[in-house]
Amino acid sequence: MYEERVTLWRAESHRDAIAKCESASREYADELHGTDCDLYQSYEMTGPFPKRMQGAEVFSLMRDSPLGIDDYVHAFFDQGDEHQATVV
């Protein structure tokens, strides 16, 4: 089973947001004795951000799949026609 989560982070940049998300995602996977898929995306939001929302999960989807991690990511997130940038 795979779980996709959307969490909120106050960050200075996409790189900063990804770093916060990556750390929290790995901790979450460890707590559940799972495996982090090593896929992190960010989206910039505007407007006020309440401090209590830092790291809050605002969406979760669980999907059973026989696919391995690489095939799962390719099937649902990286099909080649997405408009996205890589943050290094």
Side-chain angles (χ1 to χ4, degrees), residues 1 6 8 13 27 30 33 36 51-52 61-62 87:
M1 177 175 53
V6 175
L8 298 179
S13 66
E27 282 182 31
D30 286 346
H33 306 288
D36 186 87
K51 287 186 180 183
R52 72 181 191 288
L61 177 135
M62 294 180 171
V87 176

Side-chain angles (χ1 to χ4, degrees), residues 31-49:
E31 288 173 10
L32 297 176
H33 306 288
T35 302
D36 186 87
C37 292
D38 204 28
L39 173 70
Y40 318 100
Q41 298 173 314
S42 70
Y43 176 80
E44 185 175 351
M45 298 174 61
T46 59
F49 185 93

